Amino acid sequence: QSLMVESGGGLAQTGGSLNLSCVVVGFTFRNYWMYWVRQAPGKGLEWVANISPSGATTAYRDSVEGRFTISRDNAKNTVFLQMNNLKDEDTAMYHCASGDGDIRGHTWLQYETWGQGTQVTVSS
């Protein structure tokens, strides 16, 4: 059974930083693309970033480009999201997800597996 557990969320000030982690068990992590998606209260799912199985290819939504960095450690079955210069609009529940390919989807069914999420709240 696949399991993905996110951590690292919390309360941050505008302009601050947080580093999210997602540990994966139950499938061959190094074979899968990994994604970070987020959902703010009352809003739909929003793709944030993705990373290829080797880590060589990454992509970001425009609003986080230059502020967020996705990375992975295949030896530790872990994907990370370093978030710098946080803005109020980054407040959301952040989930990691797995899949195949450069998916930038906004529906859960576009991803194969996802975790329960970690809450990020940014306040000035």
Side-chain angles (χ1 to χ4, degrees):
Q1 182 176 356
S2 301
L3 181 65
M4 308 173 77
V5 180
E6 301 93 338
S7 62
L11 178 63
Q13 289 190 326
T14 302
S17 299
L18 288 172
N19 188 24
L20 307 185
S21 300
C22 171
V23 179
V24 172
V25 296
F27 62 87
T28 308
F29 178 78
R30 64 181 181 274
N31 291 346
Y32 285 81
W33 284 73
M34 295 298 296
Y35 317 86
W36 284 97
V37 297
R38 67 187 181 187
Q39 189 164 26
K43 296 188 177 181
L45 189 67
E46 190 172 79
W47 167 78
V48 176
N50 65 35
I51 187 167
S52 61
S54 70
T57 301
T58 59
Y60 302 89
R61 68 179 300 105
D62 288 346
S63 63
V64 308
E65 181 85 53
R67 299 189 297 121
F68 291 10
T69 303
I70 188 171
S71 62
R72 64 191 296 159
D73 184 339
N74 285 346
K76 297 182 178 180
N77 287 5
T78 304
V79 60
F80 305 95
L81 185 69
Q82 176 66 45
M83 305 188 297
N84 297 328
N85 191 20
L86 284 162
K87 302 179 179 181
D88 292 359
E89 53 263 41
D90 295 321
T91 294
M93 183 72 77
Y94 283 70
H95 305 260
C96 62
S98 66
D100 184 17
D102 185 7
I103 300 169
R104 307 185 186 192
H106 304 287
T107 62
W108 290 112
L109 292 180
Q110 291 176 278
Y111 302 96
E112 293 191 19
T113 309
W114 53 88
Q116 292 298 307
T118 184
Q119 178 67 39
V120 170
T121 303
V122 184
S123 175
S124 54

